[in-house]
Amino acid sequence: DLPSGLVYTCREGMNMRLGRLQMLREERGWRQSDMARRLWVGQSTYSGYETGKIQVPVDTLLKLADIYGVSIDYLLGRTDKR
């Protein structure tokens, strides 16, 4: 597993700060399986998004920002302002 402070590049060329997805999910008391159902993906896929093992597609990134009520820039680590 990668350390949570690292940044990885999605195939679309966007950076996602690892650890933000997990933090946002845990703040709400949700499980990975809860998020997987919301996104219509398997739990292992969502887990891969959180760990950086699976690249997050742009359409999923948009959904994540809407679900968590944060900006895409926040998810990508371009700002600390949610």
Side-chain angles (χ1 to χ4, degrees), residues 56-68:
V56 182
V58 171
D59 62 329
T60 302
L61 184 62
L62 293 167
K63 289 177 192 174
L64 286 166
D66 288 343
I67 290 168
Y68 287 129

Side-chain angles (χ1 to χ4, degrees), residues 35-79:
M35 282 305 302
R37 278 193 299 276
R38 290 179 192 325
L39 296 171
W40 292 85
V41 298
Q43 185 273 327
S44 61
T45 298
Y46 186 79
S47 174
Y49 294 160
E50 284 191 2
T51 61
K53 292 180 180 178
I54 298 177
Q55 298 174 346
V56 182
V58 171
D59 62 329
T60 302
L61 184 62
L62 293 167
K63 289 177 192 174
L64 286 166
D66 288 343
I67 290 168
Y68 287 129
V70 298
S71 70
I72 292 172
D73 281 344
Y74 179 77
L75 291 177
L76 298 177
R78 295 181 54 168
T79 182

Side-chain angles (χ1 to χ4, degrees), residues 1-9 15-21 49-52 75-77:
D1 291 341
L2 298 172
S4 62
L6 290 180
V7 173
Y8 76 98
T9 302
N15 294 326
M16 172 91 60
R17 185 162 315 271
L18 296 176
R20 288 227 164 138
L21 290 179
Y49 294 160
E50 284 191 2
T51 61
L75 291 177
L76 298 177

